């Protein structure tokens, strides 16, 4: 069987679509849980989306706090996703930086060739 490689642009687009779907679903759930208890703070899905994005960025939003158990669960899930995405991003960046440093320091190209050999 032949394996095909997915282009990087398609992977990035898929990541953006998944992230947008998570944000929209969390916003929708938060709006439906909190709209009756806090009509001023969560008057639309857009205001709930703003709350969700600020919570995912782990900045915090002092004007409103969820009052219902469902709203608190959505905010907990949202903040957990935000923290995990932030940790994954920094781990990914560390692997890129350290990978380039290590590969540039310990692996060198042979003169006139494309293969790499380990130099000690």
């Amino acid at each position: 069987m032949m394996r095909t490689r997915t282009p990087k642009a398609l992977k990035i687009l898929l990541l953006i679509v998944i992230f947008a779907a998570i944000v929209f679903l969390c916003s929708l759930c938060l709006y439906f849980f909190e709209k009756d208890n806090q009509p001023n703070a969560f008057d639309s899905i857009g205001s709930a989306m703003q709350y969700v994005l600020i919570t995912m960025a782990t900045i915090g939003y002092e004007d409103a706090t969820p009052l219902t158990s469902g709203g608190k669960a959505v905010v907990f899930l949202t903040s957990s996703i935000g923290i995990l995405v932030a940790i994954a991003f920094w781990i990914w960046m560390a692997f890129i930086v350290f990978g380039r440093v290590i590969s540039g320091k310990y692996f060198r190209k042979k003169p006139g060739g494309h293969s790499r050999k380990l130099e000690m």
Side-chain angles (χ1 to χ4, degrees):
M1 252 195 257
M2 195 167 93
R3 289 180 59 179
T4 59
R5 293 188 54 143
T6 309
K8 286 184 182 181
L10 187 61
K11 289 179 183 179
I12 292 171
L13 180 65
L14 182 64
L15 183 67
I16 291 171
V17 167
I18 289 171
F19 183 75
I22 289 171
V23 168
F24 182 73
L25 288 174
C26 288
S27 302
L28 196 63
C29 291
L30 185 64
Y31 172 71
F32 283 119
F33 282 127
E34 296 293 325
K35 69 177 179 176
D36 295 331
N37 292 332
Q38 299 185 50
N40 293 334
F42 299 103
D43 58 345
S44 67
I45 295 176
S47 62
M49 192 174 294
Q50 178 188 7
Y51 186 86
V52 164
L53 286 170
I54 289 173
T55 302
M56 271 191 174
T58 65
I59 296 171
Y61 192 65
E62 301 264 340
D63 292 349
T65 305
L67 300 176
T68 62
S69 298
K72 290 177 183 179
V74 170
V75 170
F76 175 75
L77 177 71
T78 302
S79 61
S80 298
I81 290 170
I83 290 169
L84 291 175
V85 167
I87 290 171
F89 173 76
W90 287 111
I91 289 173
W92 176 60
M93 289 304 293
F95 276 121
I96 287 175
V97 170
F98 291 129
R100 287 185 180 168
V101 168
I102 290 172
S103 67
K105 188 173 183 180
Y106 294 109
F107 291 94
R108 303 199 188 259
K109 286 187 177 182
K110 290 181 182 178
H114 295 290
S115 63
R116 295 177 178 227
K117 72 173 190 175
L118 180 64
E119 283 187 7
M120 297 269 181

